mmCIF file with all atom_site columns, all heavy atoms in Angstrom:
data_model
loop_
_atom_site.group_PDB
_atom_site.id
_atom_site.type_symbol
_atom_site.label_atom_id
_atom_site.label_alt_id
_atom_site.label_comp_id
_atom_site.label_asym_id
_atom_site.label_entity_id
_atom_site.label_seq_id
_atom_site.pdbx_PDB_ins_code
_atom_site.Cartn_x
_atom_site.Cartn_y
_atom_site.Cartn_z
_atom_site.occupancy
_atom_site.B_iso_or_equiv
_atom_site.pdbx_formal_charge
_atom_site.auth_seq_id
_atom_site.auth_comp_id
_atom_site.auth_asym_id
_atom_site.auth_atom_id
_atom_site.pdbx_PDB_model_num
ATOM   1  N  N   . GLU A 1 417 ? -37.825 -14.754 9.729  1.00 0.00 ? 417 GLU A N   1
ATOM   2  C  CA  . GLU A 1 417 ? -36.469 -15.254 9.258  1.00 0.00 ? 417 GLU A CA  1
ATOM   3  C  C   . GLU A 1 417 ? -35.745 -15.587 10.636 1.00 0.00 ? 417 GLU A C   1
ATOM   4  O  O   . GLU A 1 417 ? -35.727 -14.885 11.640 1.00 0.00 ? 417 GLU A O   1
ATOM   5  C  CB  . GLU A 1 417 ? -35.601 -14.106 8.626  1.00 0.00 ? 417 GLU A CB  1
ATOM   6  C  CG  . GLU A 1 417 ? -34.254 -14.557 8.325  1.00 0.00 ? 417 GLU A CG  1
ATOM   7  C  CD  . GLU A 1 417 ? -33.489 -13.558 7.492  1.00 0.00 ? 417 GLU A CD  1
ATOM   8  O  OE1 . GLU A 1 417 ? -33.887 -12.382 7.308  1.00 0.00 ? 417 GLU A OE1 1
ATOM   9  O  OE2 . GLU A 1 417 ? -32.264 -13.850 7.177  1.00 0.00 ? 417 GLU A OE2 1
ATOM   10 N  N   . ASN A 1 476 ? -31.026 -18.924 6.896  1.00 0.00 ? 476 ASN A N   1
ATOM   11 C  CA  . ASN A 1 476 ? -29.897 -18.546 6.094  1.00 0.00 ? 476 ASN A CA  1
ATOM   12 C  C   . ASN A 1 476 ? -28.906 -19.739 5.879  1.00 0.00 ? 476 ASN A C   1
ATOM   13 O  O   . ASN A 1 476 ? -28.680 -20.425 6.889  1.00 0.00 ? 476 ASN A O   1
ATOM   14 C  CB  . ASN A 1 476 ? -29.031 -17.437 6.830  1.00 0.00 ? 476 ASN A CB  1
ATOM   15 C  CG  . ASN A 1 476 ? -29.890 -16.097 6.772  1.00 0.00 ? 476 ASN A CG  1
ATOM   16 O  OD1 . ASN A 1 476 ? -29.937 -15.416 5.859  1.00 0.00 ? 476 ASN A OD1 1
ATOM   17 N  ND2 . ASN A 1 476 ? -30.529 -15.831 7.965  1.00 0.00 ? 476 ASN A ND2 1
ATOM   18 N  N   . GLU A 1 508 ? -32.308 -19.069 2.467  1.00 0.00 ? 508 GLU A N   1
ATOM   19 C  CA  . GLU A 1 508 ? -31.786 -17.861 1.863  1.00 0.00 ? 508 GLU A CA  1
ATOM   20 C  C   . GLU A 1 508 ? -30.284 -18.102 1.619  1.00 0.00 ? 508 GLU A C   1
ATOM   21 O  O   . GLU A 1 508 ? -29.557 -18.550 2.387  1.00 0.00 ? 508 GLU A O   1
ATOM   22 C  CB  . GLU A 1 508 ? -31.882 -16.674 2.922  1.00 0.00 ? 508 GLU A CB  1
ATOM   23 C  CG  . GLU A 1 508 ? -33.329 -16.323 3.171  1.00 0.00 ? 508 GLU A CG  1
ATOM   24 C  CD  . GLU A 1 508 ? -33.298 -15.047 4.058  1.00 0.00 ? 508 GLU A CD  1
ATOM   25 O  OE1 . GLU A 1 508 ? -32.291 -14.511 4.391  1.00 0.00 ? 508 GLU A OE1 1
ATOM   26 O  OE2 . GLU A 1 508 ? -34.456 -14.684 4.507  1.00 0.00 ? 508 GLU A OE2 1
ATOM   27 N  N   . ASP A 1 538 ? -30.609 -13.688 -0.916 1.00 0.00 ? 538 ASP A N   1
ATOM   28 C  CA  . ASP A 1 538 ? -30.380 -12.675 0.189  1.00 0.00 ? 538 ASP A CA  1
ATOM   29 C  C   . ASP A 1 538 ? -29.426 -11.584 -0.284 1.00 0.00 ? 538 ASP A C   1
ATOM   30 O  O   . ASP A 1 538 ? -28.590 -11.831 -1.261 1.00 0.00 ? 538 ASP A O   1
ATOM   31 C  CB  . ASP A 1 538 ? -29.750 -13.374 1.322  1.00 0.00 ? 538 ASP A CB  1
ATOM   32 C  CG  . ASP A 1 538 ? -30.100 -12.755 2.633  1.00 0.00 ? 538 ASP A CG  1
ATOM   33 O  OD1 . ASP A 1 538 ? -30.687 -11.552 2.647  1.00 0.00 ? 538 ASP A OD1 1
ATOM   34 O  OD2 . ASP A 1 538 ? -29.784 -13.208 3.724  1.00 0.00 ? 538 ASP A OD2 1
ATOM   35 N  N   . ASP A 1 539 ? -29.515 -10.428 0.368  1.00 0.00 ? 539 ASP A N   1
ATOM   36 C  CA  . ASP A 1 539 ? -28.557 -9.236  0.051  1.00 0.00 ? 539 ASP A CA  1
ATOM   37 C  C   . ASP A 1 539 ? -28.445 -8.903  -1.462 1.00 0.00 ? 539 ASP A C   1
ATOM   38 O  O   . ASP A 1 539 ? -27.312 -8.712  -1.971 1.00 0.00 ? 539 ASP A O   1
ATOM   39 C  CB  . ASP A 1 539 ? -27.179 -9.484  0.673  1.00 0.00 ? 539 ASP A CB  1
ATOM   40 C  CG  . ASP A 1 539 ? -27.230 -9.951  2.061  1.00 0.00 ? 539 ASP A CG  1
ATOM   41 O  OD1 . ASP A 1 539 ? -28.286 -9.590  2.763  1.00 0.00 ? 539 ASP A OD1 1
ATOM   42 O  OD2 . ASP A 1 539 ? -26.246 -10.411 2.663  1.00 0.00 ? 539 ASP A OD2 1
ATOM   43 N  N   . LYS A 1 559 ? -34.253 -10.673 -2.049 1.00 0.00 ? 559 LYS A N   1
ATOM   44 C  CA  . LYS A 1 559 ? -34.261 -9.757  -0.890 1.00 0.00 ? 559 LYS A CA  1
ATOM   45 C  C   . LYS A 1 559 ? -33.331 -8.672  -1.151 1.00 0.00 ? 559 LYS A C   1
ATOM   46 O  O   . LYS A 1 559 ? -32.103 -8.781  -1.323 1.00 0.00 ? 559 LYS A O   1
ATOM   47 C  CB  . LYS A 1 559 ? -33.843 -10.604 0.356  1.00 0.00 ? 559 LYS A CB  1
ATOM   48 C  CG  . LYS A 1 559 ? -34.807 -11.705 0.731  1.00 0.00 ? 559 LYS A CG  1
ATOM   49 C  CD  . LYS A 1 559 ? -34.398 -12.381 1.998  1.00 0.00 ? 559 LYS A CD  1
ATOM   50 C  CE  . LYS A 1 559 ? -34.856 -11.435 3.244  1.00 0.00 ? 559 LYS A CE  1
ATOM   51 N  NZ  . LYS A 1 559 ? -34.568 -12.162 4.540  1.00 0.00 ? 559 LYS A NZ  1
ATOM   52 N  N   . ILE A 1 560 ? -33.929 -7.413  -1.341 1.00 0.00 ? 560 ILE A N   1
ATOM   53 C  CA  . ILE A 1 560 ? -33.175 -6.193  -1.600 1.00 0.00 ? 560 ILE A CA  1
ATOM   54 C  C   . ILE A 1 560 ? -32.338 -5.973  -0.362 1.00 0.00 ? 560 ILE A C   1
ATOM   55 O  O   . ILE A 1 560 ? -32.810 -5.732  0.823  1.00 0.00 ? 560 ILE A O   1
ATOM   56 C  CB  . ILE A 1 560 ? -33.995 -5.005  -1.931 1.00 0.00 ? 560 ILE A CB  1
ATOM   57 C  CG1 . ILE A 1 560 ? -35.034 -5.288  -3.023 1.00 0.00 ? 560 ILE A CG1 1
ATOM   58 C  CG2 . ILE A 1 560 ? -33.155 -3.870  -2.291 1.00 0.00 ? 560 ILE A CG2 1
ATOM   59 C  CD1 . ILE A 1 560 ? -35.971 -4.295  -3.321 1.00 0.00 ? 560 ILE A CD1 1
ATOM   60 N  N   . ASP A 1 561 ? -30.992 -5.777  -0.530 1.00 0.00 ? 561 ASP A N   1
ATOM   61 C  CA  . ASP A 1 561 ? -30.055 -5.529  0.563  1.00 0.00 ? 561 ASP A CA  1
ATOM   62 C  C   . ASP A 1 561 ? -30.413 -4.206  1.316  1.00 0.00 ? 561 ASP A C   1
ATOM   63 O  O   . ASP A 1 561 ? -30.818 -3.266  0.639  1.00 0.00 ? 561 ASP A O   1
ATOM   64 C  CB  . ASP A 1 561 ? -28.671 -5.494  0.053  1.00 0.00 ? 561 ASP A CB  1
ATOM   65 C  CG  . ASP A 1 561 ? -27.729 -5.416  1.148  1.00 0.00 ? 561 ASP A CG  1
ATOM   66 O  OD1 . ASP A 1 561 ? -27.573 -6.499  1.843  1.00 0.00 ? 561 ASP A OD1 1
ATOM   67 O  OD2 . ASP A 1 561 ? -27.077 -4.386  1.416  1.00 0.00 ? 561 ASP A OD2 1
ATOM   68 N  N   . GLN A 1 562 ? -30.336 -4.306  2.633  1.00 0.00 ? 562 GLN A N   1
ATOM   69 C  CA  . GLN A 1 562 ? -30.772 -3.203  3.431  1.00 0.00 ? 562 GLN A CA  1
ATOM   70 C  C   . GLN A 1 562 ? -29.864 -1.901  3.128  1.00 0.00 ? 562 GLN A C   1
ATOM   71 O  O   . GLN A 1 562 ? -30.336 -0.761  3.370  1.00 0.00 ? 562 GLN A O   1
ATOM   72 C  CB  . GLN A 1 562 ? -30.714 -3.516  4.869  1.00 0.00 ? 562 GLN A CB  1
ATOM   73 C  CG  . GLN A 1 562 ? -29.391 -4.048  5.382  1.00 0.00 ? 562 GLN A CG  1
ATOM   74 C  CD  . GLN A 1 562 ? -29.477 -4.360  6.894  1.00 0.00 ? 562 GLN A CD  1
ATOM   75 O  OE1 . GLN A 1 562 ? -29.398 -3.520  7.748  1.00 0.00 ? 562 GLN A OE1 1
ATOM   76 N  NE2 . GLN A 1 562 ? -29.720 -5.591  7.178  1.00 0.00 ? 562 GLN A NE2 1
ATOM   77 N  N   . GLU A 1 595 ? -35.366 -5.576  2.749  1.00 0.00 ? 595 GLU A N   1
ATOM   78 C  CA  . GLU A 1 595 ? -34.722 -5.689  4.139  1.00 0.00 ? 595 GLU A CA  1
ATOM   79 C  C   . GLU A 1 595 ? -34.468 -4.334  4.685  1.00 0.00 ? 595 GLU A C   1
ATOM   80 O  O   . GLU A 1 595 ? -34.222 -3.377  4.083  1.00 0.00 ? 595 GLU A O   1
ATOM   81 C  CB  . GLU A 1 595 ? -33.385 -6.361  4.132  1.00 0.00 ? 595 GLU A CB  1
ATOM   82 C  CG  . GLU A 1 595 ? -33.473 -7.786  3.550  1.00 0.00 ? 595 GLU A CG  1
ATOM   83 C  CD  . GLU A 1 595 ? -32.001 -8.411  3.543  1.00 0.00 ? 595 GLU A CD  1
ATOM   84 O  OE1 . GLU A 1 595 ? -31.065 -7.736  3.079  1.00 0.00 ? 595 GLU A OE1 1
ATOM   85 O  OE2 . GLU A 1 595 ? -31.830 -9.443  4.189  1.00 0.00 ? 595 GLU A OE2 1
HETATM 86 MG MG1 . LIG B 2 .   ? -29.827 -9.780  4.011  1.00 0.00 ? 703 LIG B MG1 1
#
Side-chain angles (χ1 to χ4, degrees):
E417 177 177 4
N476 294 282
E508 294 186 5
D538 205 354
D539 303 344
K559 293 186 77 173
I560 305 175
D561 187 69
Q562 52 180 282
E595 294 179 309

